[in-house]
């Protein structure tokens, strides 16, 4: 096998012990909560995270832990250098700090890696919404030639050669690794990436001191005159739809139109959730805006004047202080517990 094959997999098989996931490796009192212990944040269907899983991929701890191991395994790329975690960093709320993702052999993509937080409740995925489930999503980056560039059949062959993986798949899915169980395991882990403990969430639960005075003024602007709430409603902070927010430029990425072939979808991209937005820079589908200040300034200008910009994107009469307040609110959407949670290390 090429670099990233059996030898690297054998080394990776020790990772669960090093991180304390196996009962024999650590004192029970020191073990973190199970990955599957998460509950939905405000704005999403109430209940445990297990309720979000489809019937044919019920969420279990064994499946989530297997998916986590796969998520960090560079052996799932052709070169053995790129893992899912390469482009989705926990400290960035499982987004990335570069404008576009860079895959095997330094190949640059065309879009920014978005946060994976709270995708369990999304009805469509990727910037253009080309898949509807996490199970469909997880195999795409592995096979994409500018990302991990490894056919799923080859990925399964590599996994089958590692005894500890074979055992983990048997325990999680009752059989040997397969393309389907590989995708389902990864989906199970991504489903557990729940961010629900921001100052904004505490404010929604009645803690009025959770937001500073500037953040409360920013909240008032966000959900009223600035109009942000039209795509980012209270609680969920995303309507899970598609919108041309004025970031598209003439001749640029067609966005949703490439999937639907509808002229009205030109330049439309999926509306992201805003929890942890302060740590997911740079912004927009192409990573073209480096800071939150740039984002607020673009909206205040009414976009870039690109084709098919939605009529709701119009210049805003915001003072410098009001822009600062908006940014204060956006920074209050950071879930420090989520970006540091040892369960995801």
């Amino acid at each position: 096998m090429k670099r990233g094959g059996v030898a690297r997999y054998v080394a990776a098989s020790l990772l669960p012990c090093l991180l304390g996931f196996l009962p024999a490796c650590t004192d029970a009192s020191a073990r973190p909560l199970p990955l599957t212990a998460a509950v939905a944040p405000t704005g999403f269907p109430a209940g445990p995270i297990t309720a979000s899983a489809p019937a044919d991929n019920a969420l279990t701890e064994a499946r989530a832990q297997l998916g986590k191991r796969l998520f960090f395994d560079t052996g799932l790329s052709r070169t053995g250098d790129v893992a899912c975690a390469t482009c989705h960093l926990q400290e960035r709320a499982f987004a990335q700090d570069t404008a576009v993702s860079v895959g095997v052999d330094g190949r640059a993509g065309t879009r920014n890696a978005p946060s994976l937080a709270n995708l369990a409740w999304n009805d469509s995925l990727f910037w253009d919404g080309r898949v509807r489930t996490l199970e469909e999503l997880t195999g795409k980056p592995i096979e994409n030639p500018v990302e991990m560039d490894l056919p799923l059949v080859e990925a399964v062959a590599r996994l089958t050669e590692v005894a500890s993986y074979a055992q983990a798949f048997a325990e999680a899915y009752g059989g040997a690794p397969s393309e389907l169980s590989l995708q389902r395991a990864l989906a199970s882990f991504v489903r557990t990436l729940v961010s629900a403990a921001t100052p904004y969430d505490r404010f929604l639960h009645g803690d009025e001191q959770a937001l500073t005075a500037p953040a409360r003024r920013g909240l008032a602007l966000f959900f009223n005159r600035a109009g942000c709430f039209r795509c980012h409603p209270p609680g969920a902070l995303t309507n899970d739809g598609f919108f041309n927010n004025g970031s598209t430029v003439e001749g640029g990425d067609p966005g949703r139109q490439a999937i639907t072939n509808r002229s009205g979808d030109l330049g439309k991209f999926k509306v992201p959730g805003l929890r942890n937005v302060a740590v997911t820079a740079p912004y927009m589908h192409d990573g073209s805006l480096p800071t939150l200040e740039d984002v607020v300034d673009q909206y205040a200008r009414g976009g870039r004047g690109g084709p098919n910009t939605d009529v709701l994107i119009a210049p805003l009469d915001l003072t410098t202080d009001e822009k600062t307040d908006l940014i204060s609110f956006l920074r209050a959407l950071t879930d420090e517990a989520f970006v540091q949670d040892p369960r995801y290390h």
Side-chain angles (χ1 to χ4, degrees), residues 6-321:
V6 174
R8 189 166 291 191
Y9 276 121
V10 170
S13 70
L14 299 176
L15 186 61
C17 242
L18 295 174
L19 297 180
F21 297 149
L22 300 181
C25 304
T26 184
D27 187 304
S29 63
R31 276 181 237 146
L33 287 171
L35 288 169
T36 52
V39 296
T42 303
F44 292 99
I49 188 64
T50 51
S52 72
D56 61 359
N57 190 28
L59 183 58
T60 68
E61 190 66 17
R63 292 175 177 182
Q65 294 289 0
L66 172 58
K68 174 182 174 176
R69 181 177 170 186
L70 293 165
F71 187 86
F72 285 94
D73 197 333
T74 58
L76 292 182
S77 66
R78 174 177 57 78
T79 61
D81 295 320
V82 178
C84 302
T86 302
C87 295
H88 296 283
L89 309 171
Q90 182 181 0
E91 64 269 25
R92 296 283 180 169
F94 293 94
Q96 196 173 21
D97 57 358
T98 57
V100 297
S101 297
V102 177
V104 296
D105 300 325
R107 299 172 184 173
T110 60
R111 292 176 178 169
N112 178 257
S115 170
L116 300 182
N118 298 337
L119 294 188
W121 299 277
N122 281 207
D123 292 328
S124 56
L125 300 155
F126 288 116
W127 280 108
D128 54 20
R130 62 185 181 272
V131 303
R132 299 190 63 82
T133 69
L134 289 173
E135 284 72 15
E136 292 177 89
L137 176 148
T138 50
K140 303 295 185 184
I142 297 174
E143 293 198 307
N144 191 307
V146 298
E147 295 184 59
M148 299 167 78
D149 195 28
L150 186 70
L152 287 178
V153 64
E154 173 63 18
V156 170
R158 292 185 182 188
L159 295 172
T160 302
E161 293 181 12
V162 182
S164 59
Y165 262 131
Q167 179 181 350
F169 273 94
E171 292 173 355
Y173 288 101
S178 68
E179 294 182 28
L180 183 60
S181 60
L182 166 59
Q183 293 173 90
R184 285 178 170 175
L186 280 167
S188 294
F189 173 62
V190 175
R191 197 164 273 121
T192 69
L193 302 180
V194 176
S195 177
T198 71
Y200 172 62
D201 288 297
R202 296 199 299 273
F203 180 82
L204 291 178
H205 288 106
D207 180 2
E208 295 188 1
Q209 301 306 309
L211 296 181
T212 64
R216 289 196 296 272
R217 293 194 298 268
L219 178 150
L221 282 166
F222 188 97
F223 292 113
N224 290 281
R225 186 161 62 85
C228 313
F229 69 92
R230 294 187 177 94
C231 288
H232 302 283
L237 298 173
T238 176
N239 62 10
D240 201 26
F242 299 89
F243 193 72
N244 186 327
N245 69 354
S247 292
T248 301
V249 296
E250 190 74 44
D253 191 329
R256 181 71 172 157
Q257 185 190 46
I259 306 302
T260 66
N261 292 316
R262 293 194 294 258
S263 60
D265 284 339
L266 176 65
K268 287 185 177 181
F269 293 92
K270 185 171 174 60
V271 176
L274 294 186
R275 281 180 176 81
N276 305 297
V277 67
V279 302
T280 63
Y283 303 101
M284 304 305 170
H285 67 278
D286 54 0
S288 57
L289 298 180
T291 69
L292 285 176
E293 287 78 5
D294 295 319
V295 172
V296 172
D297 283 343
Q298 177 170 295
Y299 279 116
R301 291 194 305 271
R304 302 179 192 174
N308 205 42
T309 297
D310 195 278
V311 295
L312 291 175
I313 301 299
L316 297 170
D317 183 20
L318 295 178
T319 67
T320 299
D321 286 344

